[in-house]
Amino acid sequence: MYAQMVTSEATQDDPEKLAAFQARIDAGEKIEPKDWMPEGYRKTLIRQIGQHAHSEIVGQLPEGNWITRAPTLERKAILLAKVQDEAGHGLYLYCAAETLGVSRDELTEALLAGKMKYSSIFNYPTLTWADIGAVGWLVDGAAIMNQVPLQRTSFGPYSRAMIRICKEESFHQRQGFDIMRKMATGTEAQRRMAQDALNRFWYPSLMMFGPSDKDSVHSAQSMRWKIKMNTNDELRQKFVDQTVPQAEYLGLTVPDPDLRWNAEKGGYDFSEPDWTEFFEVLKGNGPCNAERLAARQKAWDDGAWVREGLMAHAAKRAAAPLAAE
Amino acid sequence: MSAEWPLWEIFIRGQHGLNHRHVGSLHAPDAEMAMRHARDVYTRRNEGVSIWVVPSVAITASSPSDKGPMFEPSQDKVYRHPSFFDIPDEIGHM
């Protein structure tokens, strides 16, 4: 998902406190920043929320690529609004992570140093305008699958950030579907572009949920803590079941010859993505990893004088009334 | 200078006649910039008619460990609620 393969931290706390903490979570209580929490819970959350925040910010890059080339002024205004939302989502999430005792600058520096990750999906290029449709429809669609249940996560600030994000995310998916619909019903060349975008984004979208985690110890711990609400396989299945009829409506073909409705399980059988490719992308060997990180590094470096200058200005202004006395 | 921009808590009045409500926080070098950022981050879809920005360091919060002594005493004072008193049906609405 936006946070993939988050390893949970082992926790070595007082068993009595741990049991009381688990009881609060089981009772559906929200954990707030000043409450006692196991070190493992805190560290796992910092990693997960941080990764989620980085994904929102890096996710602006593939879409930003098309702002200057959007086909109409209306599409351009819509895409600008969407990319601005992603910046907002990143901010909500960084703030949620900060309540756990890490600063936003520390998180950014960890990303730039390669110590923290962002979702594998944003390492794929957006080659045509149809890709912007596919990203909204599929990538935001997959993100919603994960984010809707996370509104009920046990950590208060994370849950509240998710509620805010989910309110806005539906606009993102619909605008993507709208682009796809326009192209799928357009000229033959436009229809081919839409099909090509689906072909390239289908499997990377399935990878967003991460590999099967039914035997993962980390996932089990995170699920007990209500940091993770569903298994990766459950969410992937739900995504496929929701998306295939939409593709059929568009008259597009999902690039999976083994895709079949399975009446017995009440869902589609489908092919797994290439997990070797997924791990290569995570390791930094995807088509755009270097480009994405370089863009973040440049923004961080180029913005340094602005961050410093505004602080200096604020300090000078704060000192001014004192000097006048 | 490498100091990180300080944190501000943002409160928004959603509609005329309602209280300002805490909606989240953000970083900004000063109050003026905090106001600009709050407008961009928290009111992109007509969420507000008024914004307060407050430095996070200015907020004093009650401690979770004081929850008992702070809030439990009011639990056994049910007579503070109107439903504690029986009013005869003949009296009607009171």
Side-chain angles (χ1 to χ4, degrees):
Chain A
M1 201 23 27
Y2 270 26
Q4 293 159 322
M5 305 200 63
V6 176
T7 41
S8 63
E9 292 276 343
T11 224
Q12 290 164 327
D13 292 288
D14 175 6
E16 224 168 277
K17 276 186 164 173
L18 272 179
F21 179 77
Q22 189 63 48
R24 287 191 64 194
I25 289 181
D26 294 342
E29 274 184 46
K30 292 280 182 241
I31 308 302
E32 295 297 338
K34 285 184 149 191
D35 294 348
W36 184 87
M37 63 185 79
E39 228 10 65
Y41 179 86
R42 180 190 302 277
K43 284 188 183 156
T44 308
L45 267 177
I46 290 177
R47 191 175 295 156
Q48 179 171 331
I49 302 174
Q51 191 179 326
H52 196 156
H54 295 327
S55 298
E56 299 284 355
I57 299 299
V58 176
Q60 294 179 101
L61 299 170
E63 295 188 292
N65 185 33
W66 279 91
I67 290 175
T68 55
R69 291 176 287 161
T72 67
L73 194 55
E74 186 185 57
R75 291 287 184 198
K76 182 176 181 151
I78 292 170
L79 185 57
L80 259 175
K82 180 184 189 259
V83 172
Q84 191 190 20
D85 274 355
E86 306 296 1
H89 295 181
L91 284 175
Y92 307 153
L93 287 160
Y94 282 128
C95 284
E98 284 187 287
T99 65
L100 292 158
V102 62
S103 79
R104 189 171 82 191
D105 285 5
E106 280 167 357
L107 289 170
T108 304
E109 278 158 8
L111 171 73
L112 296 177
K115 290 183 204 149
M116 284 186 88
K117 302 219 175 293
Y118 54 88
S119 176
S120 57
I121 190 73
F122 301 119
N123 291 309
Y124 290 87
T126 44
L127 303 175
T128 73
W129 173 251
D131 288 8
I132 298 305
V135 166
W137 173 40
L138 301 173
V139 175
D140 289 305
I144 290 171
M145 285 282 141
N146 184 49
Q147 290 170 343
V148 166
L150 275 176
Q151 293 178 103
R152 293 178 284 112
T153 186
S154 61
F155 187 55
Y158 192 25
S159 155
R160 293 190 284 273
M162 277 299 139
I163 290 170
R164 192 167 278 282
I165 287 173
C166 284
K167 265 192 207 160
E168 300 173 353
E169 201 78 64
S170 166
F171 147 59
H172 298 180
Q173 192 187 11
R174 285 183 181 205
Q175 67 87 35
F177 186 76
D178 190 58
I179 292 173
M180 288 304 264
R181 192 153 75 114
K182 194 87 183 169
M183 298 202 72
T185 56
T187 64
E188 182 49 31
Q190 285 173 322
R191 206 200 61 77
R192 273 202 309 272
M193 277 169 77
Q195 181 63 52
D196 171 59
L198 172 58
N199 291 349
R200 281 181 291 107
F201 275 92
W202 176 255
Y203 286 107
S205 299
L206 296 188
M207 290 178 201
M208 286 175 69
F209 299 95
S212 180
D213 57 356
K214 53 182 182 292
D215 304 319
S216 160
V217 186
H218 295 300
S219 292
Q221 176 60 273
S222 286
M223 286 179 86
R224 268 198 302 280
W225 277 337
K226 292 191 189 162
I227 290 174
K228 188 179 166 77
M229 309 301 285
N230 305 86
T231 68
N232 296 347
D233 289 327
E234 277 166 18
L235 292 172
R236 187 168 17 247
Q237 180 71 51
K238 223 174 142 189
F239 173 73
V240 171
D241 292 346
Q242 177 190 285
T243 309
V244 170
Q246 295 168 355
E248 282 168 0
Y249 178 89
L250 293 172
L252 300 176
T253 311
V254 173
D256 179 358
D258 296 325
L259 183 78
R260 241 164 230 102
W261 177 255
N262 179 335
E264 204 175 310
K265 76 169 178 186
Y268 286 91
D269 290 332
F270 56 94
S271 304
E272 293 271 309
D274 176 359
W275 292 114
T276 318
E277 176 183 320
F278 171 76
F279 285 110
E280 281 302 311
V281 172
L282 279 200
K283 263 192 270 172
N285 302 324
C288 299
N289 294 61
E291 188 187 328
R292 301 292 184 238
L293 265 190
R296 289 307 303 139
Q297 184 72 55
K298 182 173 187 306
W300 183 244
D301 294 343
D302 290 356
W305 72 272
V306 180
R307 294 192 298 274
E308 286 168 24
L310 286 175
M311 273 306 275
H313 175 70
K316 201 167 124 191
R317 280 240 305 232
L322 296 176
E325 276 174 31
Chain B
M1 202 160 80
S2 66
E4 196 165 354
W5 289 356
L7 201 61
W8 300 74
E9 299 301 324
I10 313 304
F11 299 78
I12 308 255
R13 186 197 295 284
Q15 291 171 39
H16 292 289
L18 297 185
N19 289 320
H20 282 77
R21 243 181 105 185
H22 183 245
V23 293
S25 47
L26 51 77
H27 288 275
D30 56 26
E32 188 189 335
M33 287 302 290
M35 188 63 81
R36 281 168 188 262
H37 289 169
R39 179 240 181 217
D40 289 344
V41 177
Y42 292 108
T43 64
R44 290 196 302 283
R45 291 180 174 81
N46 296 319
E47 286 95 337
V49 295
S50 164
I51 302 175
W52 288 349
V53 299
V54 179
S56 303
V57 291
I59 290 182
T60 308
S62 64
S63 153
S65 57
D66 289 342
K67 206 164 88 184
M70 290 270 272
F71 305 115
E72 275 166 21
S74 75
Q75 284 173 10
D76 57 9
K77 295 177 179 59
V78 284
Y79 46 81
R80 288 184 173 173
H81 297 279
S83 54
F84 177 76
F85 303 95
D86 277 335
I87 302 294
D89 287 346
E90 304 89 284
I91 296 298
H93 179 73
M94 181 182 278

